[in-house]
Amino acid sequence: MPSAEEVVDVWNEANPDVQVRYSPVANGQEAYPKIRSSVQAGDGGCLAQLTLDQVSSFVADGMLLDVSEYVGDAEDLFLDWTWAQVSPGGATYAIPQDTGPMAMYYRADLFDQFGIDVPTTWDEFATAAETVHAADPSKTLTYLATDDASTIAAYAWQRGAQWFEIDGEAWQVGIDDDASVEAAEYWQGLLDSGAIATTKRWDPGFYAELNQGTYLAMIGGAWNTALIEENVAETSGSWRVAPMPTVDGSDATANSGGSAVAVLKGCENPEAAVEFATWLNSSDESLAVLTAPDGGGLYPAVKDAPEVAAADQELEFFGGQDIAEVFDASAQNVNTDWAWGPTYSTTDTGLTDGLASVATGGSTLPDMLAGLQETTVAAMQDRGIAVAD
């Protein structure tokens, strides 16, 4: 959150008796080992931002504090499915912050150049990808990010997959279920034909590729808005946002990313921590900053997200389009039954390693999922977690 310190200052000025100290850490996967080490050493502080897929793993590893007694009616402020994701087993460990309803960011000028219409289905998307690649092999319609495991999960999510769910007293694991394999085969087909390329989405060079028009489109969660605007400013005015392509006959979209502010084990004042985290993720003062394009561009997890003023801006970068309308519609079509398993931190690492192998031709996406199913079940059983047959 680029604006976190600004929001903390707003809180501290209004709450002299409950002061918050903000300490930035590395983003994403680099941050989690540091947070775990700090908690284990007893100096983790009180709060940490976690992506929603990591909450259950942090709970299973004893890293978070059960704060159910302090949340009061905060649950009423947030989307039901996000509250469920911060309350594995019924106890609450975090306050939801944002979600990642997905859409397709695209270069309108390049679409015109290649004479392609905005695809509304994945079949149309594949056809457009072949058209672009045939016209100019140096460019592709989009890419497969080999350092972003969340995207693979999202594509399966959209098709109705259920990677983790409770079956009585045991977990049901379905990483290689039919919907997941269907999604994997689709993207593997595009890779095999050369219609799309692989890249490292979190590598600094990625935005240079995007700026040069190497990729005509980017499919991702709403939080990408601020990142694109900041990192490819030279292409301002050329970008638009369209609904994420769907499977024929379905309106289902997907969610990519999203986060929560979790209370760490060892926090000396959990009640105040919950109070601040709730204010941070739901108050008008805070969300006005966090949802602004230069403040992080978050799509908040509150129930009235479409009404947040900063989220409804018409952005010059996107040709004056009201892109919030696209994300609001996407959010309404996300399958909210999706859950993350108690060892997903391990699964996520395996997925990232598998994607690296796919990038070099050492594996395929369907084979990767089959292997990941086996290693995930084994990891859960090694922890004494019951897994249904």
Side-chain angles (χ1 to χ4, degrees), residues 247-283:
V247 178
D248 285 336
S250 171
D251 294 327
T253 57
N255 184 83
S256 175
S259 56
V261 178
V263 182
L264 301 175
K265 183 179 180 181
C267 175
E268 296 181 356
N269 196 342
E271 185 173 9
V274 169
E275 181 184 1
F276 169 73
T278 302
W279 174 88
L280 175 71
N281 297 340
S282 66
S283 72

Side-chain angles (χ1 to χ4, degrees), residues 73-83 86 94-98 277-283 287 300-304:
D73 58 0
E75 178 179 358
D76 297 337
L77 299 172
F78 299 94
L79 295 168
D80 293 343
W81 72 272
T82 63
W83 195 265
V86 300
I95 302 297
Q97 182 167 78
D98 72 306
T278 302
W279 174 88
L280 175 71
N281 297 340
S282 66
S283 72
L287 294 183
V302 291
K303 290 180 177 177
D304 59 350

Side-chain angles (χ1 to χ4, degrees), residues 198-223:
T198 60
T199 192
K200 291 186 176 181
R201 184 252 182 278
W202 294 111
D203 187 277
F206 168 74
Y207 288 109
E209 295 176 326
L210 210 58
N211 199 52
Q212 295 163 4
T214 302
Y215 313 116
L216 278 64
M218 174 181 180
I219 300 167
W223 45 269

Side-chain angles (χ1 to χ4, degrees), residues 13-27:
E13 183 175 352
N15 297 272
D17 296 331
V18 182
Q19 295 289 284
V20 175
R21 179 169 58 87
Y22 171 66
S23 299
V25 295
N27 292 324

Side-chain angles (χ1 to χ4, degrees), residues 175-200:
I175 295 174
D176 63 347
D177 63 13
D178 290 345
S180 300
V181 172
E182 186 178 275
E185 289 177 341
Y186 174 86
W187 288 97
Q188 187 65 49
L190 291 179
L191 287 174
D192 291 344
S193 70
I196 67 167
T198 60
T199 192
K200 291 186 176 181

Side-chain angles (χ1 to χ4, degrees), residues 283-304:
S283 72
D284 291 342
E285 304 98 311
S286 177
L287 294 183
V289 177
L290 297 181
T291 62
D294 59 354
L298 300 185
Y299 191 91
V302 291
K303 290 180 177 177
D304 59 350

Side-chain angles (χ1 to χ4, degrees), residues 368-379:
M368 178 193 70
L369 291 185
L372 197 60
Q373 171 77 13
E374 295 181 4
T375 57
T376 297
V377 169

